[in-house]
Amino acid sequence: MKTSDFYYELPQELIAQEPLEKRDHSRLMILDKVTGKIEHRHFYDIADMLNPGDTLILNDTRVIPARLYGVKEDTGGAIEFLLLNKHSLDTWEVILKPGRRAKPGARFVFGNGELKAEILDIINDGNRLVKFEYEGVFENVLDKLGEMPLPPYITKKLEDKDRYQTVYAKHNGSAAAPTAGLHFTPDLLEKVKARGVNIGYVTLHVGLGTFRPVKADDINEHKMHSEFYILPQETADLINRTKAEGGRVVSVGTTATRTLETAGMNGLPLKASTGWTDIFIYPGKEFHVIDALITNFHLPESTLIMLVSALAGRENVLNAYAEAVKERYRFFSFGDAMFIC
């Protein structure tokens, strides 16, 4: 199967540059994964689309303001840090811009000196391992000095950091938001619960690899990025019970899906697990856990549109995307949503 099989034309003006004023007022396309039938609703209708006994699985990762702007300590030259993975208490893997000449021992300063960093090593893909120096709590310093690492297709500055955060975000660690969850409000989640729908949580810390394009012509040659996940026993038990009682497991987003399908590769019942996943789901791959998916509209030729196509069929998905373009849906991170059921 070719990467070009997942291409579609998208007018630039349909890429959402900012979130709607009200989270749950996004549009919602309902796609029947078997028949390809399409229905147009709004996200605040999602509770009506779920059945008593279904289980909704949310990714409770929290995005950190991972982009830092500072200067090189000895020359004053401007530098940009993008935090990727935490290796130990104060040691992180980062991307530097410009970073080609930054060698071990180079030092950088951020803010008014509240945060300093020294390069320890050059590691994967030219990324750097750096050690930070500060007073107090690192998360507080980062919250003061850092900016949200918005995707490259969003060029407008985000005024409110919380809008690139789900309302149930809990565990710090992501460099990008699990955007399907951005549509939920506390009131809407209460409405979902009142309908008799269970809610469970997983954690997958989203990396920048989620935006990495597929460069191989043959999708089988694409090397998937790794992301850290946690499936708690409480959530595993909830899913096992839902399956046994005939309910649907509805995943909110591709990140929750990758977590559940990684944990389910050895079959059911699920057990608590944690680790790194590099699972690549595309048409022909079997789903072991999820029955339905809430997701946003994804980039052409991306691993995410391939995952969605694995669930609903490539033709159904491309037809739905063509309909979304025709109906002027908003695309990508701050855009509208799709419920595949």
Side-chain angles (χ1 to χ4, degrees):
M1 191 167 283
K2 301 295 185 182
T3 299
S4 57
D5 292 336
F6 299 90
Y7 179 78
Y8 67 92
E9 290 283 350
L10 178 68
Q12 190 77 14
E13 67 270 17
L14 295 186
I15 300 175
Q17 292 297 311
E18 57 187 351
L20 295 179
E21 182 179 350
K22 295 183 178 180
R23 289 177 182 262
D24 60 356
H25 278 53
S26 301
R27 296 170 74 184
L28 177 67
M29 177 184 284
I30 314 297
L31 174 63
D32 187 310
K33 65 184 180 183
V34 177
T35 67
K37 180 183 176 184
I38 292 170
E39 183 181 349
H40 303 287
R41 304 286 287 266
H42 285 89
F43 200 82
Y44 48 69
D45 297 321
I46 192 64
D48 299 330
M49 305 293 106
L50 303 173
N51 303 322
D54 285 347
T55 289
L56 199 65
I57 300 295
L58 308 172
N59 180 7
D60 63 6
T61 187
R62 186 172 183 83
V63 186
I64 59 174
R67 180 168 276 123
L68 289 163
Y69 295 98
V71 296
K72 199 164 185 289
E73 193 173 64
D74 55 355
T75 66
I79 193 74
E80 175 188 332
F81 271 33
L82 190 59
L83 279 60
L84 294 182
N85 299 312
K86 186 176 183 178
H87 283 232
S88 62
L89 182 61
D90 299 320
T91 306
W92 286 75
E93 178 182 350
V94 304
I95 296 173
L96 273 65
K97 293 183 181 179
R100 285 183 303 165
R101 298 180 182 176
K103 298 179 179 179
R107 293 180 57 83
F108 301 90
V109 180
F110 304 90
N112 294 316
E114 297 108 311
L115 184 65
K116 296 182 179 181
E118 179 177 335
I119 295 180
L120 301 179
D121 198 5
I122 301 174
I123 54 176
N124 305 328
D125 300 324
N127 297 343
R128 267 56 172 180
L129 192 66
V130 306
K131 183 174 178 62
F132 286 104
E133 302 166 11
Y134 55 91
E135 291 186 3
V137 179
F138 181 72
E139 285 75 12
N140 294 341
V141 176
L142 191 62
D143 193 54
K144 178 183 177 182
L145 300 178
E147 294 185 6
M148 284 296 186
L150 294 178
Y153 47 75
I154 295 178
T155 58
K156 187 169 183 178
K157 183 177 174 62
L158 181 65
E159 298 299 329
D160 181 1
K161 288 181 181 179
D162 286 342
R163 292 310 307 272
Y164 195 56
Q165 207 79 265
T166 63
V167 297
Y168 47 81
K170 185 176 182 181
H171 301 291
N172 284 329
S174 278
T179 53
L182 295 178
H183 306 281
F184 283 98
T185 66
D187 287 345
L188 185 54
L189 288 171
E190 287 303 316
K191 186 178 178 182
V192 167
K193 290 179 186 176
R195 189 167 171 79
V197 176
N198 308 298
I199 295 180
Y201 296 91
V202 296
T203 304
L204 182 139
H205 293 317
V206 189
L208 293 179
T210 193
F211 304 119
R212 184 181 299 161
V214 178
K215 296 182 179 179
D217 291 333
D218 184 338
I219 65 173
N220 292 292
E221 296 174 3
H222 176 68
K223 188 179 186 320
M224 197 69 175
H225 60 284
S226 294
E227 293 169 317
F228 183 75
Y229 78 91
I230 301 171
L231 171 65
Q233 187 63 52
E234 180 182 6
T235 303
D237 291 341
L238 179 58
I239 291 171
N240 294 334
R241 190 164 64 248
T242 300
K243 290 286 191 182
E245 295 174 355
R248 296 179 300 176
V249 174
V250 181
S251 176
V252 178
T254 57
T255 60
T257 300
R258 293 181 70 227
T259 301
L260 296 179
E261 293 303 316
T262 297
M265 284 193 295
N266 294 323
L268 299 174
L270 291 183
K271 298 178 181 178
S273 62
T274 184
W276 293 83
T277 176
D278 60 359
I279 189 173
F280 182 16
I281 302 173
Y282 52 87
K285 296 284 186 177
E286 182 181 353
F287 286 85
H288 302 282
V289 181
I290 76 160
D291 302 294
L293 171 65
I294 297 171
T295 188
N296 281 16
F297 290 89
H298 304 294
L299 276 74
E301 301 183 336
S302 65
T303 60
L304 304 182
I305 194 173
M306 293 173 190
L307 183 154
V308 170
S309 297
L311 182 64
R314 187 182 70 89
E315 288 189 8
N316 286 345
V317 168
L318 290 179
N319 287 339
Y321 273 55
E323 177 76 5
V325 169
K326 177 185 172 186
E327 295 296 326
R328 310 293 290 177
Y329 272 65
R330 302 166 76 246
F331 279 67
F332 305 163
S333 295
F334 286 141
D336 295 316
M338 173 187 282
F339 179 37
I340 301 174
C341 56

